[in-house]
Amino acid sequence: LTYKKRNVKYVYKKVVKQDLQPLVDQGWEKTGYRSKKYFRLRKFKEVGPSFEDEVWCIFKRMGFDEMNKDDKFVIPRYNTNLTKQIDVFAKDEQVICIIECKAAEKPHTKRSLDKDIDQIAAIKHEIELSIFHHYSFPGSRKKLKTIWVLATKNIDIRENDRERAKQARIRILDDITYYSELSNHFGKSSKYQFLADMFPGMDIPELIEPLPAIKGTMGNKVFYSFVMEPSKLLKIAYMAHRGKSNGETMKTYQRMAKKSRLKKIARYIHEKEGIFPTSIVINIQTPGSLRFDQAAGMAGRNAVLGTLYIPNKYKSAWIIDGQHRLFAYSDLDEAETATLPVIAFENLDPDIQANLFVDINGEQVKVSKNLLIDLWATLHWSSDNPSEQLKALISRLVKELNEYPYSPLRDRIIHVGGKRTKNRNITITALTDEIRKRQLLGYIHSPKAKYITSGPLSMYDLDSTLARARDTISGYFNNFIENNPNLRKQWDVGGGEGGYICTNSGLIALLRVFKAILDHLQYRDSIDISKLPSSELIKKIWKYQEPVCDFLG
């Protein structure tokens, strides 16, 4: 009943005839329902309550066992007489999510969240103590983990606010579209995708016991064959959904996981006791090799029987094939009792995973370069191979430029599988290739190199390099459009008639000028640009950028 009430856009009210007109004047509208005595009115919820309801419904669909009912829910601050109102409270057997919601009427609203972050940081320990005290009872051994989330809508979050939140261990969820789509699509199992994002690699105690398995090789790659309950596999499995701030990219990755087909398979399992003789195919990513204890008498055999130890961690098994069969079990009791055949590879190269993903699903075409680049950002980021790290870094930078609130390229880059429009006309391939060629984030000195040789925008680690490159390149492009009204008009045209600078060719040219200026600052002006913060570096760049800007304008 609560979900039904909160999962609507309107608030409703019954009124007698004499009270009707004043409410209509205030924006209420009549619905088709009326009785002899009453009229039924409705109006859109205000943005704040509407957003809270939207977030609450997402967590409800995810299948959290225990949730607050309304906005009057409070938690006492431990050992004080004070309380804290909680917008969304969601608990399962291991995790408690505490979500604060902030929304603005208009998109891209500039608003500081520093007070909200500081308030949460100041009281979160007291709230957690109250929670642990409440759920501590005889026989309770499980230690609950808490996630503090600041969910926002239509607010452009400043970078220093993100850093403050990170320091306070508060997760910022600045676009819930991804999780809304996910929870609608996959129901309760979407919770584990959410937890995998919140706690990648976190241990899930007492989840998976050692499994009897067969070890073999296929195409010179080691694989393991075993059976497993869907409920356990769902917790460690994940899909490489990139572009989490938009539904379009998500649908590209979910083109093999249609909701209607999931329901059909679920009915086949539950009503007809259907069976699936084919295996789920996964790749397990681990720091080393999986532990496999070979059984006695197996020496010299190609297929070896033994005991396999699967990692008890969120986000440790990427699904290459079998999304439908696995996720169809999401809301079924059979998820606990059935077993599914599984073939598991370990530590496959990301490009092999991507090609295998496409080949198994019947696409007899080479994986597109855009799709591969998109996958690199997910699958190469934690690689020990510097060449793979650099691919991931460049891929993520292009994604950041398309999503960062202060980037002039925001929403100008074509999503994987998306269509080119006048304003969304930049390709991922064009930008990544040019950034790689200019060596802006570094380069690989030789095939045997053990690290990335620094480029002009490099910092001490991948995350810092990503932030510096994003801020500097955004500032460089902003210099053109903020200092010349003619260039602003041309930028807004994009790939339409009369547009040039915000096209693939135009951006490639501007990036070459950008690299030339950085080289000049470093080698002619003898400035150690690696020690300059982005804001200072952008000012230095402008000295040589200004005549280019005037000429183009």
Side-chain angles (χ1 to χ4, degrees):
L1 215 66
T2 302
Y3 178 81
K4 187 176 180 180
K5 181 180 178 182
R6 301 189 75 160
N7 193 36
V8 291
K9 297 178 181 179
Y10 300 95
V11 288
Y12 294 89
K13 180 181 288 193
K14 282 184 179 180
V15 296
V16 294
K17 185 176 182 179
Q18 56 265 36
D19 295 335
L20 178 62
Q21 193 56 48
L23 290 169
V24 170
D25 294 341
Q26 294 172 25
W28 290 81
E29 62 179 21
K30 289 185 283 186
T31 66
Y33 169 85
R34 64 167 291 182
S35 65
K36 291 181 179 179
K37 194 173 182 180
Y38 295 103
F39 287 87
R40 193 180 189 217
L41 305 181
R42 73 178 187 182
K43 72 172 181 177
F44 281 109
K45 295 176 182 175
E46 294 181 3
V47 64
S50 175
F51 183 56
E52 285 182 25
D53 286 348
E54 188 179 0
V55 174
W56 188 94
C57 288
I58 289 172
F59 282 82
K60 182 64 176 176
R61 289 194 298 268
M62 284 182 179
F64 281 87
D65 305 323
E66 191 175 329
M67 295 189 67
N68 62 310
K69 186 177 180 180
D70 52 36
D71 60 1
K72 297 178 177 60
F73 179 75
V74 297
I75 296 178
R77 293 166 57 177
Y78 193 72
N79 272 350
T80 73
N81 294 321
L82 305 172
T83 60
K84 171 72 173 81
Q85 184 270 334
I86 305 296
D87 292 338
V88 180
F89 178 90
K91 175 188 175 295
D92 74 352
E93 67 274 10
Q94 279 192 293
V95 175
I96 291 175
C97 304
I98 305 167
I99 303 102
E100 187 84 359
C101 301
K102 300 293 176 185
E105 290 279 357
K106 297 180 180 179
H108 308 318
T109 299
K110 302 289 191 297
R111 181 191 297 178
S112 173
L113 297 174
D114 54 353
K115 291 183 180 178
D116 302 288
I117 294 167
D118 289 345
Q119 183 191 45
I120 295 172
I123 66 171
K124 65 194 291 277
H125 180 62
E126 294 172 354
I127 298 296
E128 288 172 5
L129 286 175
S130 288
I131 290 170
F132 297 145
H133 180 74
H134 176 78
Y135 288 105
S136 177
F137 52 85
S140 174
R141 296 181 180 178
K142 292 181 180 178
K143 184 178 179 181
L144 291 165
K145 293 184 179 292
T146 55
I147 311 171
W148 287 81
V149 177
L150 186 56
T152 67
K153 181 177 185 177
N154 293 338
I155 297 173
D156 281 347
I157 300 174
R158 301 185 310 183
E159 200 56 36
N160 61 335
D161 283 346
R162 291 184 186 276
E163 188 57 36
R164 289 165 84 105
K166 184 178 178 181
Q167 295 295 326
R169 296 184 179 179
I170 300 167
R171 306 288 183 130
I172 287 183
L173 214 58
D174 53 355
D175 195 319
I176 61 169
T177 305
Y178 171 75
Y179 294 110
S180 180
E181 292 275 353
L182 197 70
S183 61
N184 271 317
H185 211 71
F186 295 118
K188 292 181 180 178
S189 62
S190 61
K191 176 175 67 175
Y192 302 113
Q193 303 294 303
F194 169 76
L195 295 177
D197 288 336
M198 296 296 107
F199 297 119
M202 184 188 89
D203 287 332
I204 312 171
E206 301 172 4
L207 171 64
I208 304 172
E209 297 176 351
L211 299 165
I214 295 173
K215 180 180 180 180
T217 57
M218 188 187 306
N220 295 322
K221 303 297 180 187
V222 172
F223 75 91
Y224 303 90
S225 179
F226 53 88
V227 296
M228 180 183 252
E229 295 90 338
S231 61
K232 293 180 179 178
L233 184 54
L234 281 166
K235 291 183 180 180
I236 64 171
Y238 73 101
M239 293 171 289
H241 292 149
R242 293 302 302 155
K244 292 186 179 176
S245 64
N246 64 79
E248 182 181 353
T249 303
M250 183 180 171
K251 289 169 188 172
T252 301
Y253 280 100
Q254 289 180 188
R255 64 191 182 280
M256 268 78 73
K258 296 178 181 177
K259 192 173 183 179
S260 59
R261 190 175 168 195
L262 289 169
K263 289 182 176 179
K264 190 179 293 185
I265 294 174
R267 285 196 298 270
Y268 173 68
I269 295 167
H270 184 65
E271 297 173 9
K272 299 184 179 181
E273 298 182 348
I275 60 173
F276 299 102
T278 53
S279 298
I280 308 291
V281 182
I282 64 175
N283 178 63
I284 298 175
Q285 208 71 29
T286 60
S289 297
L290 290 171
R291 178 182 169 184
F292 180 77
D293 295 344
Q294 183 174 305
M298 291 287 113
R301 296 175 182 265
N302 292 328
V304 179
L305 182 66
T307 303
L308 178 66
Y309 292 77
I310 297 288
N312 287 334
K313 297 178 183 293
Y314 289 122
K315 208 171 186 177
S316 56
W318 187 56
I319 308 172
I320 297 174
D321 182 54
Q323 298 96 320
H324 284 110
R325 279 162 281 153
L326 177 58
F327 282 94
Y329 280 93
S330 295
D331 300 324
L332 299 179
D333 294 337
E334 287 86 348
E336 299 286 345
T337 56
T339 54
L340 290 173
V342 180
I343 290 177
F345 294 92
E346 59 176 322
N347 299 325
L348 282 181
D349 180 85
D351 293 351
I352 294 174
Q353 290 184 66
N355 279 289
L356 190 56
F357 174 71
V358 171
D359 289 343
I360 289 176
N361 284 282
E363 299 284 343
Q364 299 304 315
V365 292
K366 188 178 183 294
V367 179
S368 73
K369 189 171 182 182
N370 277 348
L371 178 55
L372 278 175
I373 291 169
D374 204 60
L375 287 169
W376 288 341
T378 304
L379 302 174
H380 280 318
W381 188 257
S382 300
S383 172
D384 294 327
N385 183 314
S387 178
E388 292 177 352
Q389 284 184 350
L390 185 58
K391 285 180 179 180
L393 182 59
I394 295 172
S395 178
R396 284 208 179 181
L397 172 59
V398 172
K399 290 177 179 298
E400 288 272 308
L401 290 172
N402 190 46
E403 297 173 3
Y404 183 52
Y406 303 104
S407 166
L409 288 176
R410 184 180 188 180
D411 297 330
R412 306 301 288 267
I413 299 171
I414 304 168
H415 295 309
V416 176
K419 294 182 179 180
R420 182 189 296 266
T421 65
K422 185 184 76 171
N423 287 328
R424 194 184 283 278
N425 62 302
I426 309 301
T427 64
I428 296 172
T429 306
L431 280 184
T432 52
D433 283 353
E434 193 58 33
I435 291 168
R436 176 184 56 80
K437 289 176 183 176
R438 297 310 121 210
Q439 301 179 350
L440 294 172
L441 308 185
Y443 61 95
I444 306 304
H445 187 264
S446 72
K448 295 182 179 180
K450 295 183 178 180
Y451 55 87
I452 301 171
T453 300
S454 294
L457 300 180
S458 298
M459 294 287 283
Y460 48 85
D461 61 23
L462 295 182
D463 289 310
S464 302
T465 299
L466 179 63
R468 175 180 169 82
R470 178 201 64 206
D471 293 347
T472 308
I473 293 174
S474 295
Y476 169 71
F477 287 140
N478 273 325
N479 275 346
F480 283 110
I481 60 181
E482 290 176 356
N483 289 285
N484 192 299
N486 289 335
L487 291 184
R488 161 65 75 179
K489 291 177 184 177
Q490 193 183 134
W491 188 274
D492 291 341
V493 168
E497 185 178 351
Y500 176 72
I501 60 170
C502 194
T503 65
N504 285 337
S505 299
L507 292 180
I508 287 171
L510 294 183
L511 284 171
R512 293 181 183 183
V513 173
F514 178 65
K515 177 59 162 56
I517 293 173
L518 293 176
D519 286 346
H520 192 88
L521 289 171
Q522 192 155 343
Y523 300 115
R524 291 295 187 92
D525 292 356
S526 301
I527 296 172
D528 187 353
I529 61 176
S530 67
K531 294 183 179 178
L532 292 178
S534 298
S535 56
E536 291 299 315
L537 180 55
I538 291 166
K539 291 177 183 177
K540 298 286 186 185
I541 289 170
W542 177 243
K543 175 183 176 182
Y544 298 106
Q545 184 184 357
E546 186 175 12
V548 181
C549 182
D550 292 340
F551 176 80
L552 289 175

